Structure formats: C-alpha cells, structure tokens
Amino acid sequence: MTVISGSAGWYLRRLSRMGPREVGGRVGDAVRRRRWRTSPPDCPNVTGARFRAALPAGTVAAIPPDAVKRLLAEADRLMAGHAEFFGVAREDLVDPDWSYDPKTGRRAPSGYAFDVPYRNEDAVGDIKQIWEPSRHQYLTVLAAAYAVTGDERYAERVATHLRSWWAANPPLRGVHWISGIELGIRLLSWVWIRRLLDGWPGAAGLFEDNPVARNQIWHHQRWLAAFPSRGSSANNHVIAEAAGQTAAACAFGWFPDSARWRAGALRSLERHLRANTFHSGLNRELATEYHGLVLELGLAALAEADAAGVPVPATVRIVLLRMTDALAAVVDNRLRPPRQGDADDGHGLIVDGAGTDRWGSLLATGEAVFGRLAWWPTVTGTDVRTPLLAALIKPTALPVSRPASRPAHFADAGMTILRGPGEIWARCDGGPHGFLSIAAHAHADALSVEVRHDGVDVLADPGTYCYHGQSEWRQYFRSTLGHNTLQLDGADQSVSGGPFLWTRHARTRVLEAGAARWSAEHDGYQGAVHRRRVELADVKRELRIVDEVRGPGRDVRLAFHLGPAITAHLTGDRAVLTWTVDGEERSAELELPAELAWRAHRGETAPPLGWYSAGFGRKEPTTTLIGTGFTDSAVLSGEFTTVLRFGG
C-alpha cells in the first residue's frame, strides 16, 4: 500500500501541531519557492578559490592496518559496481542512474524540485532508495581509499560520479533538491572528498577551479540558508543542515556570503544541539540511531570549524561530550546501544569499510577527543574515521563535570539500564513519548522492556523496517503491539496522525529507578492506567516483570518479542528459550502469566506480527508471544507477573 502524506486530513493534522511562528515561516518558504521557480538565485563569480583544510601531515599513516584492510575491501567492491542500500543489492554503481529506484523499478520525475511528490511511491519510487546513493557517502569511502593508497583509479571514479551527478541534478531540479537533510549530508561528503583527494593532481580541477562544482556548492548553501527545518520539524534534520552548512562554509569559504552562512550555521548548530539533547546526554528523539547520527554530525562540524580556526561555542563541545558519555553508559557488553524508536541506518560521515563497529568507532573518537572515563567500556576495534577527526579537532578543556561512575538511570529521558550477572542487560522505558509536537521518530512503546544476554536480543525491540510506501508495516513496527509492553482494547497508547506524526502522546511517570528495581506508569489508555514494575535478582539470575492495570475492565494483549537468534518452545504459560553465542549453547525459561491465554506468532502478514528488523529495509521472521485476556476483577486480579530465568 502506498503512503501519500498529502491528503487534506493529513495537512490539517500536521497544521494543528504547529505554532504561529512556524506557520509564518512556512508561508514565507512557500512564497520563496514560487519565486525561485521563475527567478532562481544566481551563483556569484569568484576568483582565487583555494582549499586550505587539508589533513595534518602523518594523519593517514596513523590509520590502523586492519581498518585500512576493511576500507579497501569495501572500496574495491564499490569499484566493481556493487553496493547494498537498505537491503536492496545494487550492481549499477559503475555508472549509476541518480533518479532510479531499483526496488520499484521507477524513476523519479526531473521537474522543479518542489513540485515532485516525493512521498508518493507510485509516482517517484522508494525515495530512500533514490536519496541514499546521492548522499555520496560511498564516494567518501572511495576517496579515503585513494588517500591511503595513492591509487588514482579511486580518485578518477569519484570525479566521474561527481561530474555525472552535477550534470544530472542542476540546482532546484528533481528529487535531490527537496530535503534539507540530504543537502546537508551531501555537502559534508563533498568537503571530505575534497580533503581526502588532496594529493591527487585533479582535485582542484574537480572542485575550486570547476565552475560547475562551485555553482553546486553555492546553491546547496543558499538552499539551506533559505529553507531551514522549522518548529515541529527541527529534529535531527536541522542538525544535518547546520553541520553541512558549517562544513561547507568553513572548507569552501569562497563566496561573499560564506562568513554569514558560517556564523548562522554555527548558531543553529549550537541552538539545536542543545534543544535536541537532554542534559543527561541522551537524544530527545529517544531514537538511538538518531543519537548516533547527531553525534557524528556534530563531531564532523566541530572538526571543520577547528580546522578553519573558527571559534566554536563551548556548549557545542559540552553537548557532544555529554552525548558521548551517555552512549558509553547505555551500551551492553558488546557495545550495542538500545534499539529504541525509529532507525534508518543514517550516518553523518562514512570513511570505513563494512564490518566496522559504528558505536565502537564513536566511543573511540570520544576517547581521542574528550578522554575516556574509568568506567567506560573498553573499545577493542579500530576504524578509519577516528584518527581523521581527531587530527582536526583541537583538544579543549571544558567547564563541565563528568559522571564519576556509570549512570544507570537517565531521569530526563526516562531510560533505566539494569545490569546483572552473566552479562544480563535490560532497558526500561519510562520516558516522554518523543520530541517536539509531532514526535516524528517516536514509537508507541511506553513501559516497554528490552532484554539481552551477552549482547544477544532475548526480549527484543523489533526495530523500524520502513518509513514510506508500506503503511501497514510502518504502523506495525511503531505500534504498541510491536513492543514488549501491554496493549488495551487493541489500541496504541499514543495516537498516530501519519507516518511521522503523533496527535496524542501518552504521558509516562517513573515511580522508582534503582540498581535492580524500576517501576513506572502511563496514561495512554483513557480511563485506565498501566503500571509496570521490573526487578532484576542477581542471585537467581531472573528478571521479574509485574504489570498492573488500574481502571474498568478491558481487553488485554501482553506482547513479548523474541530476538531472531532465539528458538522458543511454548507449552501453556511456559516458554523454553534457547540460543547459541560463540558456539556455546545458552537457555532461559519464560514463565508467563497463567491468567492470560498464550500463543506464539511468527512471520505473519495479515496483519503483520512476529518480525524483527535488523536494519532499514530489512526484516526477518521471529517469534512473538502474545497473551490475551480481560482485566475484569472476576477473571483477573488486574496484576500479573512474568518471570524470565536465565540458565547457569
């Protein structure tokens, strides 16, 4: 089924979530778009443009050999034309069609950008499949391969593709001029491509001495200055816009407006990094992958400013430091962070090969830039990006205290991490529904739990899978039933008004958050309150979950989603779980509330149930246990208990 977020009802719901200032700004945007249709701005003539943001001598030589090996393996795969975007294999990257979606076989129209109905899959194709290659992050990989080898084949392929893209996508024409996050990330990629190609004789001719490149760079920055994400949409998108604008205005500061763009972008970056981040350091969207994206973008923007000698507000570094410490606090023993909220595999800067640990890379960069704390987990992997960023970011003393021990409870974000023996890790969700009035990347997951054993998902957050084009799947993966929590009367706790819009948000309150015990409640079910208590018993190696419903009798569905590595045998109200880690068999027993009737579901499609998405565009069957019943006092006590016991 195609999702078209353009109906009159959707526009009215979206408008209802905006304030007067945002409405005024969007009216101004609409007027500007109409004016640019017939009178687009012109790039000024510039002379004497030079690139002065090269890497310090010796930086590339400091990249660890195994990271170089992974990089070159990926680069050679790309040179052969092979890539994969969101689960779809591409074999056409020798000479890509920049408007083609291989998933649907459709090509996006090439008219005036703001006329393209990019949310309509029938007209455009899967927009994520079209946009992703044009972030040019695969070209930063090829440029990095040139930097470490000096092999000009990599540089020449990068140049061929950039010239092809610039010719096929003139300013304001087609789908690649619609979304600010795409322009911002693309600018960041171009800055790093130019830097990594600095030793190549053709680098200046490709960029600063090339009027086509200068025109593209100028128009990207002019677009970002004209159409910033506003108000209820000022989430990770505005960070990407500000980071890309900062990077380009610092590294490509060739234009009369460069100083103004740079100052405005840094102001925006500082303001929105603070607005998008809790004081604890967790991202306010409560979507872990966007925590990673924002941290990557912020570090990349900081690197450009420091490389150019541009002063950066201290709060930018402080927020990035807090984000890094928060990430170190919440990861499990395998350096995997929670799987919470939306995830679309978005990255700020890619210069590494496949198999590089994203989260380990971020912690390694944090260690190099800010210094590690004694309680941080050990990062054993290596990457290309850390030595590159660390060579540009200047060490700076910050007037901020850091946690003396590993935080377990993040009160402002409502996240609590319980840790037990045998590498038991559990996340308890008692936080806000999402960020800003639309909570675009939130899921209806209040009071959900996520449990791992030695890094393996046991009670899993199923993930995201898709955004556009498949409304039933989008609805399932962000629904209450799609999480390890309790559903009443077949309804979600929060009310959706569209694929990136929530019109009513459940309010959650944490009642207790200790080292081994947590409880919270929410008001998402009108007329009833769901309260949950989670207890972790070290000696017994068991996790106890107690659910209570206060209010009139209601139909109940209690869901537990098992990870894809888990095999489950359900008998009545008991399930035996088995899995393997590093060749060793592990087991657990799930004692389910006997008051409910239990059934196992796996890989169902009508409606969707029993699925796990390891990454955007990918899904696989997994087992979901659903217990059904009624909270009438004559049948149920209103309180029921689940116990997860791990084997020795």
Side-chain angles (χ1 to χ4, degrees), residues 7 49 79 153 161 197 210 274 277 300 320 326 370 392 483-484 536 549 592:
S7 67
M79 289 291 289
R153 292 182 306 116
H161 281 206
L197 294 185
N210 181 358
R274 285 189 293 106
T277 310
L320 297 175
F370 302 119
L392 299 178
H483 295 83
N484 297 317
L536 180 59
V549 178
L592 301 160

Side-chain angles (χ1 to χ4, degrees), residues 586-620:
R586 307 284 179 87
S587 66
E589 182 182 70
L590 195 57
E591 181 182 316
L592 301 160
E595 301 92 338
L596 300 176
W598 289 92
R599 181 183 170 191
H601 303 262
R602 185 177 181 87
E604 299 174 9
T605 58
L609 189 59
W611 295 91
Y612 179 94
S613 174
F616 198 83
R618 292 175 285 151
K619 68 181 188 299
E620 59 186 300

